[in-house]
Amino acid sequence: MNLLEMNHIKKHFDDLEVIKDISLSVREGEILSIIGPSGSGKSTLLRCATMLETIDGGEIRYLNDRAVYMGENGRAVMPKGADAKRIYSYFGLVFQNFNLFPHYSVLKNVMDAPLHVQKRDKAEVKKEAMEWLDKMGLADKADAYPYQLSGGQCQRVAIARALASNPKILFFDEPTSALDPELTGEVLKVIKSLADLHITMVIVTHEMQFAKDISDRVIFMDKGVIAQEGTPEAVFSSDNARMKEFLGRFNQN
Amino acid sequence: MDFTKILEMLAGGMLKSMGIFILTLVFSLPLGLIISFGRMSKNKIVSFIVKIYISVMRGTPLMLQLLVVFFGPFYLWEANIGGPYRFIAVILAFALNYAAYFAEIYRSGIESMPSGQYEAAQILGYSRAQTFFKIILPQVIKRILPAVTNEVITLVKDTSLAFAIAYTEMFTLAKQIAAKETTFVPFIVAAVFYYIFNLLVAVIMEHAEKKLNYYQ
Ligand SMILES: Nc1ncnc2c1ncn2[C@@H]1O[C@H](COP(=O)(O)OP(=O)(O)OP(=O)(O)O)[C@@H](O)[C@H]1O
Ligand SMILES: [Mg+2]
């Protein structure tokens, strides 16, 4: 089954067309990486999928449940009330700069949404939260506050927080680009461990080797369109001129 | 009149000043939050009206506002402004005035919050009310506490303005005694009282700031 379907998505900011009729779908258990030059619209695409931006055209479905569509006035209809609650429960998002809640301890950051949004049982939520923190290597940081953690630790808390709500699909927007190189590895390792748990993920990243290793499928975005799509082997060895230029710039760095 | 008597009378006045102080905060702090919402409203008319309100409240003397609130009902409708209305007028004028100042403080705090906090909460499925009261407001309170402390300390001193409509709080009493007994002592005692009051306020606010220092 397709967990996510984005059909003919369009998005512009004023005169700037950022997403030009993009369609993509993500199957259950699949890991999809999105790569591409700066400004090609990768973040915007994720923000449209997660409803942080309102699309200007197209339709978004999660588990075949219609999340966003075009109303009769030509404007996107966003889910409200109970619909919103159900649809937001399908996905999680890990931000580039974590966006942890600074006034909550690590454990409360992870537990709060399952408790107060999903209204689940406290003992069960706490047990699961501790298990996720343990998987992230943060069991000893449960009572710490975000300001006491390194960037890599903050990002792992953010991943645990996203997972604690049991989303069907997890989005990452450049999860390591706010981190020092020596902290990048620990976060990538954690994301790889999620792959072993068969968690469906869509990852925007500039870590090419990581994308190659982890992905079932890679999308190369350029100027608001999908310029290349396929297995990592196919995309990374393609002779699309833009893709070659993009990879060339990486190999120089 | 001996010193103990003066002390006793002024202590009574002090309680009245504290009454003004506490009731003003009780009403103006929540009212200020509501006014700040109006100020930030997407509805242009609402935000414009609220903007005018705030600018008038901050741009005219509180003493004048007191007089308007107290005598206004009489001149407008020949309403009875005797009895308890004097005290009601004091609280009304103070609360309306301070709410305007607090509204601007809330607004600056709310607008300084990074959008990532709202976005993270939205993705996690928090409702708008949950987002505001659980995620945004606690952080805003921490950010604005120093500015609020300033206003609160000003309020302690401003309570003396109630003399303008002859409400007998501490300052009014001190003036009366000083005139009757031709002595300067009541003023000194009143000054000491105000100072201690403010010291107390400062200690409490400092304590609150320390309590919120558990995170950064
Ligand atoms: N809120 C906004 N208002 C106006 N323009 C925007 C906004 N958000 C993004 N843009 C523009 O849209 C284009 C695509 O931005 P986007 O952030 O999606 O790129 P990206 O592929 O994620 O780039 P990067 O690799 O640098 O993160 C850019 O030109 C950007 O300036
Ligand atoms: Mg981006």
Side-chain angles (χ1 to χ4, degrees), chain A residues 11-14 16-19 34-47 53 96 173-174 177 204-206 221 223-224 246:
Chain A
K11 176 70 191 172
H12 60 78
F13 295 110
D14 300 319
L16 184 67
E17 271 189 82
V18 179
I19 304 292
I34 302 177
I35 59 173
S38 185
S40 56
K42 306 179 298 293
S43 295
T44 306
L45 187 64
L46 278 204
R47 291 175 61 83
E53 300 286 353
Q96 184 173 345
D173 190 4
E174 299 195 28
S177 43
V204 170
T205 183
H206 284 296
M221 266 185 80
K223 296 182 181 140
F246 173 69

Side-chain angles (χ1 to χ4, degrees), chain A residues 47 88 100 103 112 116, chain B residues 117 119 122 126 130 134 214:
Chain A
R47 291 175 61 83
Y88 276 107
L100 292 177
H103 58 309
D112 201 66
H116 295 110
Chain B
Q117 292 289 302
E119 294 184 348
Q122 185 181 332
Y126 289 93
Q130 280 178 321
K134 288 177 69 82
Y214 72 91

Side-chain angles (χ1 to χ4, degrees), chain A residues 47 50-52 88 91-93 95 99-104 112-113 116-117 119 145 147 161 165, chain B residues 114-127 130 134-136 138-139 213-216:
Chain A
R47 291 175 61 83
T50 53
M51 303 191 290
L52 291 176
Y88 276 107
F91 61 83
L93 170 62
F95 297 86
N99 292 331
L100 292 177
F101 302 133
H103 58 309
Y104 285 173
D112 201 66
H116 295 110
V117 175
K119 316 244 186 264
Y145 282 84
Y147 80 94
R161 177 177 71 173
S165 296
Chain B
S115 59
Q117 292 289 302
Y118 290 94
E119 294 184 348
Q122 185 181 332
I123 295 282
L124 288 167
Y126 289 93
S127 68
Q130 280 178 321
K134 288 177 69 82
I135 308 300
I136 303 300
Q139 297 183 57
N213 264 348
Y214 72 91
Y215 73 93
Q216 274 164 23

Side-chain angles (χ1 to χ4, degrees), chain B residues 155-177:
Chain B
L155 174 59
V156 171
K157 294 177 282 179
D158 273 358
T159 55
S160 65
L161 288 174
F163 89 93
I165 58 171
Y167 179 74
T168 47
E169 41 58 69
M170 182 163 56
F171 182 68
T172 315
L173 268 172
K175 253 188 8 168
Q176 284 170 1
I177 302 170

Side-chain angles (χ1 to χ4, degrees), chain A:
Chain A
M1 179 175 47
N2 283 335
L3 290 191
L4 168 66
E5 262 175 55
M6 299 180 83
N7 297 321
H8 302 289
I9 304 299
K10 293 192 185 84
K11 176 70 191 172
H12 60 78
F13 295 110
D14 300 319
D15 293 340
L16 184 67
E17 271 189 82
V18 179
I19 304 292
K20 303 168 187 163
D21 197 350
I22 284 189
S23 297
L24 66 85
S25 59
V26 180
R27 285 189 318 277
E28 190 165 5
E30 190 176 27
I31 297 175
L32 171 66
S33 289
I34 302 177
I35 59 173
S38 185
S40 56
K42 306 179 298 293
S43 295
T44 306
L45 187 64
L46 278 204
R47 291 175 61 83
C48 288
T50 53
M51 303 191 290
L52 291 176
E53 300 286 353
T54 306
I55 55 176
D56 299 313
E59 178 199 60
I60 300 172
R61 285 171 179 270
Y62 283 95
L63 289 79
N64 219 14
D65 191 353
R66 196 168 64 167
V68 188
Y69 60 96
M70 287 299 125
E72 282 179 1
N73 60 3
R75 295 233 188 98
V77 180
M78 303 297 249
K80 295 217 163 50
D83 290 338
K85 216 166 167 181
R86 186 182 69 250
I87 285 162
Y88 276 107
S89 76
Y90 292 141
F91 61 83
L93 170 62
V94 174
F95 297 86
Q96 184 173 345
N97 53 353
F98 334 131
N99 292 331
L100 292 177
F101 302 133
H103 58 309
Y104 285 173
S105 70
V106 164
L107 185 60
K108 192 161 164 58
N109 262 283
V110 178
M111 285 177 63
D112 201 66
L115 272 185
H116 295 110
V117 175
Q118 301 181 331
K119 316 244 186 264
R120 284 160 51 195
D121 173 66
K122 185 163 181 185
E124 176 204 313
V125 166
K126 181 162 185 192
K127 185 169 154 278
E128 269 189 41
M130 286 308 297
E131 282 169 13
W132 281 123
L133 285 176
D134 198 31
K135 285 200 181 82
M136 300 295 132
L138 290 167
D140 56 330
K141 296 289 182 194
D143 295 323
Y145 282 84
Y147 80 94
Q148 297 166 316
L149 304 181
S150 73
Q153 290 169 330
C154 281
Q155 193 57 298
R156 285 182 280 148
V157 175
I159 295 172
R161 177 177 71 173
L163 288 166
S165 296
N166 295 325
K168 303 279 184 215
I169 178 167
L170 191 52
F171 296 94
F172 294 82
D173 190 4
E174 299 195 28
T176 60
S177 43
L179 302 178
D180 295 335
E182 62 267 30
L183 300 179
T184 298
E186 63 185 53
V187 171
L188 294 184
K189 209 173 103 200
V190 154
I191 299 175
K192 276 193 179 140
S193 75
L194 299 181
D196 298 333
L197 299 174
H198 305 291
I199 291 171
T200 310
M201 295 187 274
V202 176
I203 307 168
V204 170
T205 183
H206 284 296
E207 299 287 334
M208 292 306 137
Q209 191 56 47
F210 170 72
K212 218 184 233 175
D213 292 346
I214 196 177
S215 313
D216 299 309
R217 187 157 53 106
V218 175
I219 281 177
F220 172 63
M221 266 185 80
D222 187 34
K223 296 182 181 140
V225 299
I226 295 178
Q228 281 283 306
E229 179 174 5
T231 60
E233 298 76 33
V235 171
F236 281 98
S237 62
S238 98
D239 27 76
N240 177 303
R242 290 288 298 166
M243 178 74 195
K244 275 186 147 163
E245 186 194 328
F246 173 69
L247 282 181
R249 231 176 310 133
F250 262 92
N251 294 336
Q252 278 162 27
N253 290 344

